[in-house]
């Protein structure tokens, strides 16, 4: 139980300018990838969020020298003193991305012993595709007592993923980066953070081609030199801020983002009647009239992102008409809508589909966050609602959003913490 709750007095439009922080899901991949290097690396634009701090702890416990200057958002990582290949369960279960240590340690040392990952309870989330890739690259893999043991000299191979998996793609890239020979990964994820990871690996001297397409080719290299690298802005934070601006009928400019990463969401907001305009590195979101209901089907990138389904479906609870939301990526990602029924939302959920009947008003109520993006969705709901909303278990939000409360307050939101 968190020791504080969030209090939001809703009904205020978000107005003004804000900025996007470095990407959570790219940062955790790039930080893990730095272990592959034979020299120190410096990574810029890292967000000051819980998941990054957990990864700093894990790398430090492995023996790496890590200095994270949160004010400068810069991290220095010297991996040459890494003396262990073991990440115990008590550490690995603190986040999802701890499983990237499997690929990084296998890629560097040919050995890894990592406890099962944690992460948001949004579905079963097996790792069979990760293990399939490791085995194809020459590892012997065993699962025993919530720990994955992998050992073997990485040798280039072909890997065809049975389903598109972001984590599986990243883990295979890490394990293959220094393998002997060439690896071809088929049916891979194409998210912006896959491309960012490939760019970081190549900045160290790796030979990765095709990131962002369905097939990635990696020619293993023996030695990786140090690198200074800047991670891309967070696509999901950008989208969450765009949705919050539209949901409160505000007028917000979001700076430091990459508009081309946002096309699926932008198209949906335009379909709803929201005004969206962009320049090279900024997006402006305005609403001049009511929002039409729309249908959403989550898909792998460049489709509508599953991580934005939750904040978007919160916004749809007040759209004019019925919206249908189909969640194709995770089995259990509608819990936030069940919470929002206490605020007056009208929702029917059947397996992977939520039918949301738009209502004229939501009313503040005590609600509880169940995962990171559910927390963001409940914040959007609180900003939209009449009266005061109390959000319990809000610490989930800090895992993936840097200074969210401060950013929203600077845009005019009435949001603050209260000790329990
Ligand atoms: C990453 O999770 C992100 N997490 C998730 O973001 C994101 O929702 C997801 O990708 C999809 O974009 C991080 O990057 C740390 P997947 P990941 O492997 O890698 C199934 C957030 O809010 N699958 O692409 O775990 C899996 O069960 C988080 O920032 C297998 O069946 O997602 C899921 O149904 C939440 N076998 C689907 O594939 C496997 O071996 C997609 O999962 C791997 C995955």
């Amino acid at each position: 139980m968190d020791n504080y709750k969030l209090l939001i007095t809703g009904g205020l439009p978000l107005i003004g300018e804000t900025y996007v922080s470095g990407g959570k899901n790219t940062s955790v991949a790039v930080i893990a990838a730095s272990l592959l290097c034979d020299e120190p690396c410096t990574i810029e634009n890292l967000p000051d969020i819980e998941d990054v701090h957990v990864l700093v702890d894990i790398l430090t416990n492995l023996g790496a020298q890590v200095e994270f200057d949160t004010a400068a958002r810069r991290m220095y990582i010297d991996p040459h003193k890494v003396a262990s290949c073991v990440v115990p369960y008590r550490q690995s279960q603190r986040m999802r991305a701890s499983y990237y240590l499997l690929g990084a340690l296998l890629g560097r040392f040919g050995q890894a012993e990592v406890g099962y990952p944690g992460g948001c309870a949004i579905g079963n989330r097996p790792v069979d595709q990760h293990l399939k890739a490791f085995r194809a690259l020459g590892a012997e893999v065993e699962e025993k007592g919530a720990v994955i043991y992998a050992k073997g000299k990485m040798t280039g191979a072909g890997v065809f993923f049975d389903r598109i998996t972001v984590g599986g793609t990243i883990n295979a890239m890490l394990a293959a980066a220094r393998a002997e020979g060439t690896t071809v990964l088929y049916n891979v994820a194409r998210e912006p953070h896959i491309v960012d990871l490939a760019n970081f690996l190549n900045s160290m001297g790796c030979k990765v081609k095709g990131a962002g397409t369905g097939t990635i080719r990696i020619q293993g290299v023996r030695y990786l030199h140090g690198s200074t690298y800047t991670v891309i802005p967070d696509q999901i934070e950008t989208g969450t801020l765009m949705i919050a601006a539209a949901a409160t009928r505000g007028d917000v400019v979001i700076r430091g983002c990459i508009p081309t990463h946002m096309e699926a969401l932008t198209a949906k907001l335009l379909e709803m009647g929201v005004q969206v305009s962009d320049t090279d590195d900024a997006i402006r979101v305005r609403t001049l009239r009511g929002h039409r209901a729309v249908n959403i089907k989550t898909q792998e990138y460049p489709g509508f992102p599953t991580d934005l389904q939750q904040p978007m479906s919160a916004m749809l609870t007040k759209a004019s008409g019925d919206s249908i939301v189909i969640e194709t990526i995770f089995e259990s990602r509608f819990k936030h809508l069940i919470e929002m029924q206490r605020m007056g939302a009208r929702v029917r959920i059947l397996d992977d589909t939520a039918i949301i009947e738009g209502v004229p008003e939501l009313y503040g109520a005590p609600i509880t966050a169940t995962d990171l993006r559910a927390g963001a969705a409940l914040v959007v709901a609180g900003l939209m609602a009449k009266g005061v909303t109390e959000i319990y278990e809000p610490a989930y939000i800090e895992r993936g959003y840097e200074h969210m409360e401060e950013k929203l307050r600077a845009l005019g939101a009435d949001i603050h913490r209260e000790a329990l």
Side-chain angles (χ1 to χ4, degrees), residues 24-25 96-97 99-100 122 125-130 163-167 191 306-307 329-330 333 372-373:
K24 163 177 98 78
N25 293 342
R96 181 84 192 152
Y99 58 20
Y100 293 152
I122 50 181
R125 306 185 84 174
V127 294
D128 58 299
Q129 297 301 300
H130 301 236
R163 72 170 292 164
I164 292 173
T165 154
V166 168
E191 270 71 3
T306 175
D307 292 349
I329 307 293
F330 290 106
R333 209 166 191 178
L372 164 59
R373 306 301 176 186

PDB file of all heavy atoms in Angstrom, residues 24-25 96-97 99-100 122 125-130 163-167 191 306-307 329-330 333 372-373, ligand 1:
ATOM      1  N   LYS A  24      10.938   5.649 -21.453  1.00  0.00           N
ATOM      2  CA  LYS A  24      11.142   4.584 -20.445  1.00  0.00           C
ATOM      3  C   LYS A  24      11.583   3.307 -21.134  1.00  0.00           C
ATOM      4  O   LYS A  24      12.598   2.702 -20.779  1.00  0.00           O
ATOM      5  CB  LYS A  24       9.858   4.322 -19.668  1.00  0.00           C
ATOM      6  CG  LYS A  24       9.844   2.987 -18.901  1.00  0.00           C
ATOM      7  CD  LYS A  24       8.614   2.765 -18.096  1.00  0.00           C
ATOM      8  CE  LYS A  24       7.575   1.932 -18.715  1.00  0.00           C
ATOM      9  NZ  LYS A  24       7.787   0.483 -18.689  1.00  0.00           N
ATOM     10  N   ASN A  25      10.811   2.848 -22.132  1.00  0.00           N
ATOM     11  CA  ASN A  25      11.050   1.523 -22.698  1.00  0.00           C
ATOM     12  C   ASN A  25      12.307   1.456 -23.552  1.00  0.00           C
ATOM     13  O   ASN A  25      12.915   0.390 -23.669  1.00  0.00           O
ATOM     14  CB  ASN A  25       9.814   1.037 -23.448  1.00  0.00           C
ATOM     15  CG  ASN A  25       8.658   0.787 -22.466  1.00  0.00           C
ATOM     16  OD1 ASN A  25       8.888   0.652 -21.263  1.00  0.00           O
ATOM     17  ND2 ASN A  25       7.445   0.779 -22.970  1.00  0.00           N
ATOM     18  N   ARG A  96       9.811  -5.214 -15.272  1.00  0.00           N
ATOM     19  CA  ARG A  96       9.700  -6.126 -16.404  1.00  0.00           C
ATOM     20  C   ARG A  96      11.025  -6.248 -17.122  1.00  0.00           C
ATOM     21  O   ARG A  96      11.445  -7.328 -17.504  1.00  0.00           O
ATOM     22  CB  ARG A  96       8.645  -5.586 -17.391  1.00  0.00           C
ATOM     23  CG  ARG A  96       8.435  -6.465 -18.607  1.00  0.00           C
ATOM     24  CD  ARG A  96       7.485  -7.532 -18.311  1.00  0.00           C
ATOM     25  NE  ARG A  96       7.461  -8.552 -19.342  1.00  0.00           N
ATOM     26  CZ  ARG A  96       7.130  -9.817 -19.079  1.00  0.00           C
ATOM     27  NH1 ARG A  96       6.836 -10.196 -17.847  1.00  0.00           N
ATOM     28  NH2 ARG A  96       7.123 -10.719 -20.033  1.00  0.00           N
ATOM     29  N   ALA A  97      11.706  -5.147 -17.287  1.00  0.00           N
ATOM     30  CA  ALA A  97      12.872  -5.099 -18.189  1.00  0.00           C
ATOM     31  C   ALA A  97      14.104  -5.747 -17.590  1.00  0.00           C
ATOM     32  O   ALA A  97      15.148  -5.834 -18.232  1.00  0.00           O
ATOM     33  CB  ALA A  97      13.182  -3.649 -18.541  1.00  0.00           C
ATOM     34  N   TYR A  99      14.561  -8.644 -17.479  1.00  0.00           N
ATOM     35  CA  TYR A  99      14.905  -9.817 -18.291  1.00  0.00           C
ATOM     36  C   TYR A  99      15.868  -9.468 -19.435  1.00  0.00           C
ATOM     37  O   TYR A  99      16.430 -10.343 -20.063  1.00  0.00           O
ATOM     38  CB  TYR A  99      13.700 -10.590 -18.785  1.00  0.00           C
ATOM     39  CG  TYR A  99      12.654  -9.893 -19.630  1.00  0.00           C
ATOM     40  CD1 TYR A  99      12.873  -8.722 -20.337  1.00  0.00           C
ATOM     41  CD2 TYR A  99      11.376 -10.470 -19.729  1.00  0.00           C
ATOM     42  CE1 TYR A  99      11.905  -8.136 -21.117  1.00  0.00           C
ATOM     43  CE2 TYR A  99      10.381  -9.885 -20.507  1.00  0.00           C
ATOM     44  CZ  TYR A  99      10.656  -8.727 -21.190  1.00  0.00           C
ATOM     45  OH  TYR A  99       9.656  -8.150 -21.970  1.00  0.00           O
ATOM     46  N   TYR A 100      16.086  -8.179 -19.679  1.00  0.00           N
ATOM     47  CA  TYR A 100      17.092  -7.808 -20.691  1.00  0.00           C
ATOM     48  C   TYR A 100      18.509  -8.163 -20.229  1.00  0.00           C
ATOM     49  O   TYR A 100      19.434  -8.250 -21.027  1.00  0.00           O
ATOM     50  CB  TYR A 100      17.012  -6.320 -21.030  1.00  0.00           C
ATOM     51  CG  TYR A 100      15.739  -5.913 -21.727  1.00  0.00           C
ATOM     52  CD1 TYR A 100      15.242  -4.615 -21.596  1.00  0.00           C
ATOM     53  CD2 TYR A 100      15.016  -6.811 -22.508  1.00  0.00           C
ATOM     54  CE1 TYR A 100      14.053  -4.238 -22.237  1.00  0.00           C
ATOM     55  CE2 TYR A 100      13.833  -6.435 -23.151  1.00  0.00           C
ATOM     56  CZ  TYR A 100      13.365  -5.158 -23.004  1.00  0.00           C
ATOM     57  OH  TYR A 100      12.202  -4.781 -23.625  1.00  0.00           O
ATOM     58  N   ILE A 122      -0.897  -7.180 -16.528  1.00  0.00           N
ATOM     59  CA  ILE A 122      -1.850  -6.915 -17.616  1.00  0.00           C
ATOM     60  C   ILE A 122      -2.113  -8.157 -18.450  1.00  0.00           C
ATOM     61  O   ILE A 122      -2.718  -8.096 -19.523  1.00  0.00           O
ATOM     62  CB  ILE A 122      -1.324  -5.761 -18.509  1.00  0.00           C
ATOM     63  CG1 ILE A 122       0.136  -6.030 -18.908  1.00  0.00           C
ATOM     64  CG2 ILE A 122      -1.462  -4.423 -17.771  1.00  0.00           C
ATOM     65  CD1 ILE A 122       0.755  -4.954 -19.767  1.00  0.00           C
ATOM     66  N   ARG A 125       1.907 -12.815 -19.885  1.00  0.00           N
ATOM     67  CA  ARG A 125       3.249 -12.326 -20.228  1.00  0.00           C
ATOM     68  C   ARG A 125       4.328 -13.415 -20.135  1.00  0.00           C
ATOM     69  O   ARG A 125       5.272 -13.318 -19.370  1.00  0.00           O
ATOM     70  CB  ARG A 125       3.627 -11.109 -19.376  1.00  0.00           C
ATOM     71  CG  ARG A 125       2.602  -9.992 -19.444  1.00  0.00           C
ATOM     72  CD  ARG A 125       3.026  -8.757 -18.695  1.00  0.00           C
ATOM     73  NE  ARG A 125       3.897  -7.931 -19.538  1.00  0.00           N
ATOM     74  CZ  ARG A 125       4.327  -6.704 -19.157  1.00  0.00           C
ATOM     75  NH1 ARG A 125       4.029  -6.251 -17.961  1.00  0.00           N
ATOM     76  NH2 ARG A 125       5.083  -6.000 -19.976  1.00  0.00           N
ATOM     77  N   PRO A 126       4.198 -14.483 -20.882  1.00  0.00           N
ATOM     78  CA  PRO A 126       5.247 -15.513 -20.880  1.00  0.00           C
ATOM     79  C   PRO A 126       6.525 -14.998 -21.548  1.00  0.00           C
ATOM     80  O   PRO A 126       6.527 -13.919 -22.138  1.00  0.00           O
ATOM     81  CB  PRO A 126       4.629 -16.635 -21.715  1.00  0.00           C
ATOM     82  CG  PRO A 126       3.650 -15.966 -22.588  1.00  0.00           C
ATOM     83  CD  PRO A 126       3.112 -14.806 -21.821  1.00  0.00           C
ATOM     84  N   VAL A 127       7.623 -15.762 -21.418  1.00  0.00           N
ATOM     85  CA  VAL A 127       8.887 -15.356 -22.056  1.00  0.00           C
ATOM     86  C   VAL A 127       9.385 -16.447 -23.011  1.00  0.00           C
ATOM     87  O   VAL A 127      10.584 -16.496 -23.343  1.00  0.00           O
ATOM     88  CB  VAL A 127       9.967 -15.024 -21.014  1.00  0.00           C
ATOM     89  CG1 VAL A 127       9.595 -13.781 -20.208  1.00  0.00           C
ATOM     90  CG2 VAL A 127      10.209 -16.219 -20.069  1.00  0.00           C
ATOM     91  N   ASP A 128       8.482 -17.307 -23.461  1.00  0.00           N
ATOM     92  CA  ASP A 128       8.898 -18.432 -24.314  1.00  0.00           C
ATOM     93  C   ASP A 128       9.642 -18.003 -25.574  1.00  0.00           C
ATOM     94  O   ASP A 128      10.588 -18.681 -26.003  1.00  0.00           O
ATOM     95  CB  ASP A 128       7.662 -19.259 -24.699  1.00  0.00           C
ATOM     96  CG  ASP A 128       6.620 -18.423 -25.432  1.00  0.00           C
ATOM     97  OD1 ASP A 128       6.123 -17.442 -24.834  1.00  0.00           O
ATOM     98  OD2 ASP A 128       6.344 -18.687 -26.612  1.00  0.00           O
ATOM     99  N   GLN A 129       9.268 -16.877 -26.133  1.00  0.00           N
ATOM    100  CA  GLN A 129       9.954 -16.426 -27.361  1.00  0.00           C
ATOM    101  C   GLN A 129      11.374 -15.945 -27.084  1.00  0.00           C
ATOM    102  O   GLN A 129      12.271 -16.120 -27.904  1.00  0.00           O
ATOM    103  CB  GLN A 129       9.133 -15.317 -28.042  1.00  0.00           C
ATOM    104  CG  GLN A 129       7.759 -15.780 -28.521  1.00  0.00           C
ATOM    105  CD  GLN A 129       7.858 -16.924 -29.528  1.00  0.00           C
ATOM    106  OE1 GLN A 129       8.459 -16.785 -30.587  1.00  0.00           O
ATOM    107  NE2 GLN A 129       7.298 -18.070 -29.178  1.00  0.00           N
ATOM    108  N   HIS A 130      11.574 -15.354 -25.915  1.00  0.00           N
ATOM    109  CA  HIS A 130      12.938 -14.954 -25.526  1.00  0.00           C
ATOM    110  C   HIS A 130      13.827 -16.205 -25.451  1.00  0.00           C
ATOM    111  O   HIS A 130      14.926 -16.245 -25.983  1.00  0.00           O
ATOM    112  CB  HIS A 130      12.944 -14.296 -24.134  1.00  0.00           C
ATOM    113  CG  HIS A 130      12.087 -13.072 -24.010  1.00  0.00           C
ATOM    114  ND1 HIS A 130      12.572 -11.865 -23.585  1.00  0.00           N
ATOM    115  CD2 HIS A 130      10.761 -12.883 -24.201  1.00  0.00           C
ATOM    116  CE1 HIS A 130      11.595 -10.965 -23.549  1.00  0.00           C
ATOM    117  NE2 HIS A 130      10.488 -11.566 -23.918  1.00  0.00           N
ATOM    118  N   ARG A 163       5.358 -14.923 -32.502  1.00  0.00           N
ATOM    119  CA  ARG A 163       4.487 -13.739 -32.455  1.00  0.00           C
ATOM    120  C   ARG A 163       5.386 -12.527 -32.253  1.00  0.00           C
ATOM    121  O   ARG A 163       6.507 -12.651 -31.757  1.00  0.00           O
ATOM    122  CB  ARG A 163       3.440 -13.849 -31.366  1.00  0.00           C
ATOM    123  CG  ARG A 163       3.968 -13.715 -29.950  1.00  0.00           C
ATOM    124  CD  ARG A 163       2.800 -13.591 -28.965  1.00  0.00           C
ATOM    125  NE  ARG A 163       2.077 -12.324 -29.140  1.00  0.00           N
ATOM    126  CZ  ARG A 163       0.856 -12.114 -28.624  1.00  0.00           C
ATOM    127  NH1 ARG A 163       0.249 -13.060 -27.953  1.00  0.00           N
ATOM    128  NH2 ARG A 163       0.263 -10.963 -28.790  1.00  0.00           N
ATOM    129  N   ILE A 164       4.901 -11.374 -32.641  1.00  0.00           N
ATOM    130  CA  ILE A 164       5.713 -10.164 -32.505  1.00  0.00           C
ATOM    131  C   ILE A 164       5.818  -9.827 -31.014  1.00  0.00           C
ATOM    132  O   ILE A 164       4.812  -9.741 -30.309  1.00  0.00           O
ATOM    133  CB  ILE A 164       5.090  -9.001 -33.299  1.00  0.00           C
ATOM    134  CG1 ILE A 164       5.183  -9.301 -34.797  1.00  0.00           C
ATOM    135  CG2 ILE A 164       5.788  -7.683 -32.958  1.00  0.00           C
ATOM    136  CD1 ILE A 164       4.458  -8.311 -35.676  1.00  0.00           C
ATOM    137  N   THR A 165       7.045  -9.685 -30.528  1.00  0.00           N
ATOM    138  CA  THR A 165       7.265  -9.380 -29.113  1.00  0.00           C
ATOM    139  C   THR A 165       8.371  -8.340 -28.998  1.00  0.00           C
ATOM    140  O   THR A 165       9.486  -8.571 -29.493  1.00  0.00           O
ATOM    141  CB  THR A 165       7.656 -10.624 -28.300  1.00  0.00           C
ATOM    142  OG1 THR A 165       8.422 -10.240 -27.140  1.00  0.00           O
ATOM    143  CG2 THR A 165       8.454 -11.647 -29.092  1.00  0.00           C
ATOM    144  N   VAL A 166       8.063  -7.235 -28.348  1.00  0.00           N
ATOM    145  CA  VAL A 166       9.058  -6.165 -28.161  1.00  0.00           C
ATOM    146  C   VAL A 166      10.211  -6.698 -27.322  1.00  0.00           C
ATOM    147  O   VAL A 166      11.385  -6.624 -27.723  1.00  0.00           O
ATOM    148  CB  VAL A 166       8.421  -4.938 -27.489  1.00  0.00           C
ATOM    149  CG1 VAL A 166       9.468  -3.941 -27.030  1.00  0.00           C
ATOM    150  CG2 VAL A 166       7.424  -4.269 -28.423  1.00  0.00           C
ATOM    151  N   GLY A 167       9.898  -7.269 -26.183  1.00  0.00           N
ATOM    152  CA  GLY A 167      10.958  -7.756 -25.284  1.00  0.00           C
ATOM    153  C   GLY A 167      11.763  -8.867 -25.914  1.00  0.00           C
ATOM    154  O   GLY A 167      12.984  -8.910 -25.781  1.00  0.00           O
ATOM    155  N   GLU A 191       8.804  -1.141 -33.000  1.00  0.00           N
ATOM    156  CA  GLU A 191       8.630   0.061 -32.172  1.00  0.00           C
ATOM    157  C   GLU A 191       9.820   1.013 -32.303  1.00  0.00           C
ATOM    158  O   GLU A 191      10.954   0.558 -32.541  1.00  0.00           O
ATOM    159  CB  GLU A 191       8.437  -0.333 -30.709  1.00  0.00           C
ATOM    160  CG  GLU A 191       6.994  -0.552 -30.289  1.00  0.00           C
ATOM    161  CD  GLU A 191       6.359  -1.813 -30.859  1.00  0.00           C
ATOM    162  OE1 GLU A 191       7.053  -2.576 -31.555  1.00  0.00           O
ATOM    163  OE2 GLU A 191       5.184  -2.050 -30.611  1.00  0.00           O
ATOM    164  N   THR A 306      -0.853  -0.417 -27.484  1.00  0.00           N
ATOM    165  CA  THR A 306      -1.584  -0.942 -26.334  1.00  0.00           C
ATOM    166  C   THR A 306      -1.358  -0.062 -25.097  1.00  0.00           C
ATOM    167  O   THR A 306      -2.269   0.106 -24.272  1.00  0.00           O
ATOM    168  CB  THR A 306      -1.177  -2.399 -26.049  1.00  0.00           C
ATOM    169  OG1 THR A 306      -1.809  -2.849 -24.854  1.00  0.00           O
ATOM    170  CG2 THR A 306       0.333  -2.543 -25.873  1.00  0.00           C
ATOM    171  N   ASP A 307      -0.188   0.556 -24.971  1.00  0.00           N
ATOM    172  CA  ASP A 307       0.096   1.377 -23.789  1.00  0.00           C
ATOM    173  C   ASP A 307      -0.723   2.659 -23.759  1.00  0.00           C
ATOM    174  O   ASP A 307      -0.850   3.283 -22.700  1.00  0.00           O
ATOM    175  CB  ASP A 307       1.588   1.738 -23.728  1.00  0.00           C
ATOM    176  CG  ASP A 307       2.445   0.526 -23.466  1.00  0.00           C
ATOM    177  OD1 ASP A 307       1.888  -0.534 -23.139  1.00  0.00           O
ATOM    178  OD2 ASP A 307       3.678   0.628 -23.628  1.00  0.00           O
ATOM    179  N   ILE A 329      -3.285  -7.110 -27.622  1.00  0.00           N
ATOM    180  CA  ILE A 329      -1.923  -7.436 -27.201  1.00  0.00           C
ATOM    181  C   ILE A 329      -1.884  -8.145 -25.843  1.00  0.00           C
ATOM    182  O   ILE A 329      -1.177  -9.134 -25.672  1.00  0.00           O
ATOM    183  CB  ILE A 329      -1.043  -6.159 -27.161  1.00  0.00           C
ATOM    184  CG1 ILE A 329      -1.108  -5.397 -28.487  1.00  0.00           C
ATOM    185  CG2 ILE A 329       0.391  -6.509 -26.768  1.00  0.00           C
ATOM    186  CD1 ILE A 329      -0.478  -6.118 -29.663  1.00  0.00           C
ATOM    187  N   PHE A 330      -2.615  -7.614 -24.868  1.00  0.00           N
ATOM    188  CA  PHE A 330      -2.605  -8.212 -23.522  1.00  0.00           C
ATOM    189  C   PHE A 330      -4.014  -8.643 -23.132  1.00  0.00           C
ATOM    190  O   PHE A 330      -5.000  -8.041 -23.542  1.00  0.00           O
ATOM    191  CB  PHE A 330      -2.052  -7.207 -22.495  1.00  0.00           C
ATOM    192  CG  PHE A 330      -0.573  -6.950 -22.650  1.00  0.00           C
ATOM    193  CD1 PHE A 330      -0.109  -5.762 -23.200  1.00  0.00           C
ATOM    194  CD2 PHE A 330       0.358  -7.908 -22.270  1.00  0.00           C
ATOM    195  CE1 PHE A 330       1.247  -5.530 -23.361  1.00  0.00           C
ATOM    196  CE2 PHE A 330       1.721  -7.691 -22.422  1.00  0.00           C
ATOM    197  CZ  PHE A 330       2.164  -6.497 -22.974  1.00  0.00           C
ATOM    198  N   ARG A 333      -6.309  -5.803 -19.710  1.00  0.00           N
ATOM    199  CA  ARG A 333      -5.857  -4.406 -19.703  1.00  0.00           C
ATOM    200  C   ARG A 333      -7.047  -3.430 -19.677  1.00  0.00           C
ATOM    201  O   ARG A 333      -6.960  -2.314 -20.181  1.00  0.00           O
ATOM    202  CB  ARG A 333      -4.951  -4.163 -20.912  1.00  0.00           C
ATOM    203  CG  ARG A 333      -3.942  -3.085 -20.610  1.00  0.00           C
ATOM    204  CD  ARG A 333      -2.807  -2.967 -21.576  1.00  0.00           C
ATOM    205  NE  ARG A 333      -1.833  -2.070 -20.959  1.00  0.00           N
ATOM    206  CZ  ARG A 333      -0.669  -1.742 -21.468  1.00  0.00           C
ATOM    207  NH1 ARG A 333      -0.295  -2.246 -22.624  1.00  0.00           N
ATOM    208  NH2 ARG A 333       0.155  -0.928 -20.825  1.00  0.00           N
ATOM    209  N   LEU A 372       0.819   0.660 -14.300  1.00  0.00           N
ATOM    210  CA  LEU A 372       1.352   1.963 -14.723  1.00  0.00           C
ATOM    211  C   LEU A 372       0.401   2.746 -15.612  1.00  0.00           C
ATOM    212  O   LEU A 372       0.019   3.877 -15.306  1.00  0.00           O
ATOM    213  CB  LEU A 372       2.684   1.720 -15.461  1.00  0.00           C
ATOM    214  CG  LEU A 372       3.257   2.847 -16.315  1.00  0.00           C
ATOM    215  CD1 LEU A 372       3.518   4.096 -15.494  1.00  0.00           C
ATOM    216  CD2 LEU A 372       4.554   2.377 -16.977  1.00  0.00           C
ATOM    217  N   ARG A 373      -0.050   2.160 -16.699  1.00  0.00           N
ATOM    218  CA  ARG A 373      -0.868   2.933 -17.647  1.00  0.00           C
ATOM    219  C   ARG A 373      -2.318   3.036 -17.146  1.00  0.00           C
ATOM    220  O   ARG A 373      -3.025   3.971 -17.509  1.00  0.00           O
ATOM    221  CB  ARG A 373      -0.800   2.311 -19.045  1.00  0.00           C
ATOM    222  CG  ARG A 373       0.609   2.105 -19.585  1.00  0.00           C
ATOM    223  CD  ARG A 373       1.439   3.378 -19.681  1.00  0.00           C
ATOM    224  NE  ARG A 373       2.803   3.049 -20.109  1.00  0.00           N
ATOM    225  CZ  ARG A 373       3.805   3.889 -20.189  1.00  0.00           C
ATOM    226  NH1 ARG A 373       3.610   5.151 -19.849  1.00  0.00           N
ATOM    227  NH2 ARG A 373       5.012   3.509 -20.549  1.00  0.00           N
TER     228      ARG A 373
HETATM  229  C1  LIG B   1       6.910  -4.151 -23.752  1.00  0.00           C
HETATM  230  O1  LIG B   1       6.462  -5.225 -22.946  1.00  0.00           O
HETATM  231  C2  LIG B   1       6.679  -2.904 -22.935  1.00  0.00           C
HETATM  232  N1  LIG B   1       7.483  -2.973 -21.722  1.00  0.00           N
HETATM  233  C3  LIG B   1       5.201  -2.779 -22.592  1.00  0.00           C
HETATM  234  O2  LIG B   1       5.029  -1.528 -21.932  1.00  0.00           O
HETATM  235  C4  LIG B   1       4.388  -2.754 -23.881  1.00  0.00           C
HETATM  236  O3  LIG B   1       3.014  -2.739 -23.556  1.00  0.00           O
HETATM  237  C5  LIG B   1       4.710  -3.978 -24.721  1.00  0.00           C
HETATM  238  O4  LIG B   1       6.125  -4.059 -24.954  1.00  0.00           O
HETATM  239  C6  LIG B   1       4.009  -3.944 -26.070  1.00  0.00           C
HETATM  240  O5  LIG B   1       4.402  -2.789 -26.761  1.00  0.00           O
HETATM  241  C7  LIG B   1       8.787  -2.637 -21.795  1.00  0.00           C
HETATM  242  O6  LIG B   1       9.295  -2.305 -22.866  1.00  0.00           O
HETATM  243  C8  LIG B   1       9.569  -2.680 -20.513  1.00  0.00           C
HETATM  244  P1  LIG B   1       5.686  -8.020 -25.679  1.00  0.00           P
HETATM  245  P2  LIG B   1       6.803  -6.753 -23.393  1.00  0.00           P
HETATM  246  O7  LIG B   1       6.744  -9.034 -25.455  1.00  0.00           O
HETATM  247  O8  LIG B   1       8.116  -6.774 -24.063  1.00  0.00           O
HETATM  248  C9  LIG B   1       3.214 -12.062 -25.601  1.00  0.00           C
HETATM  249  C10 LIG B   1       4.421  -0.069 -20.262  1.00  0.00           C
HETATM  250  O9  LIG B   1       3.323   0.290 -19.828  1.00  0.00           O
HETATM  251  N2  LIG B   1       4.513 -12.733 -25.466  1.00  0.00           N
HETATM  252  O10 LIG B   1       5.707  -7.208 -26.930  1.00  0.00           O
HETATM  253  O11 LIG B   1       6.577  -7.621 -22.211  1.00  0.00           O
HETATM  254  C11 LIG B   1       2.881 -11.218 -24.385  1.00  0.00           C
HETATM  255  O12 LIG B   1       2.276 -12.014 -23.391  1.00  0.00           O
HETATM  256  C12 LIG B   1       4.648  -1.524 -20.556  1.00  0.00           C
HETATM  257  O13 LIG B   1       5.392   0.690 -20.510  1.00  0.00           O
HETATM  258  C13 LIG B   1       4.542 -14.127 -25.545  1.00  0.00           C
HETATM  259  O14 LIG B   1       3.521 -14.784 -25.713  1.00  0.00           O
HETATM  260  O15 LIG B   1       5.656  -7.001 -24.448  1.00  0.00           O
HETATM  261  C14 LIG B   1       1.939 -10.191 -24.947  1.00  0.00           C
HETATM  262  O16 LIG B   1       0.650 -10.762 -25.016  1.00  0.00           O
HETATM  263  C15 LIG B   1       3.427  -2.372 -20.252  1.00  0.00           C
HETATM  264  N3  LIG B   1       5.743 -14.748 -25.425  1.00  0.00           N
HETATM  265  C16 LIG B   1       2.462  -9.971 -26.362  1.00  0.00           C
HETATM  266  O17 LIG B   1       3.300 -11.096 -26.662  1.00  0.00           O
HETATM  267  C17 LIG B   1       6.905 -14.049 -25.240  1.00  0.00           C
HETATM  268  O18 LIG B   1       7.980 -14.680 -25.147  1.00  0.00           O
HETATM  269  C18 LIG B   1       3.306  -8.709 -26.516  1.00  0.00           C
HETATM  270  O19 LIG B   1       4.272  -8.744 -25.501  1.00  0.00           O
HETATM  271  C19 LIG B   1       6.854 -12.645 -25.165  1.00  0.00           C
HETATM  272  C20 LIG B   1       5.648 -12.008 -25.277  1.00  0.00           C
END
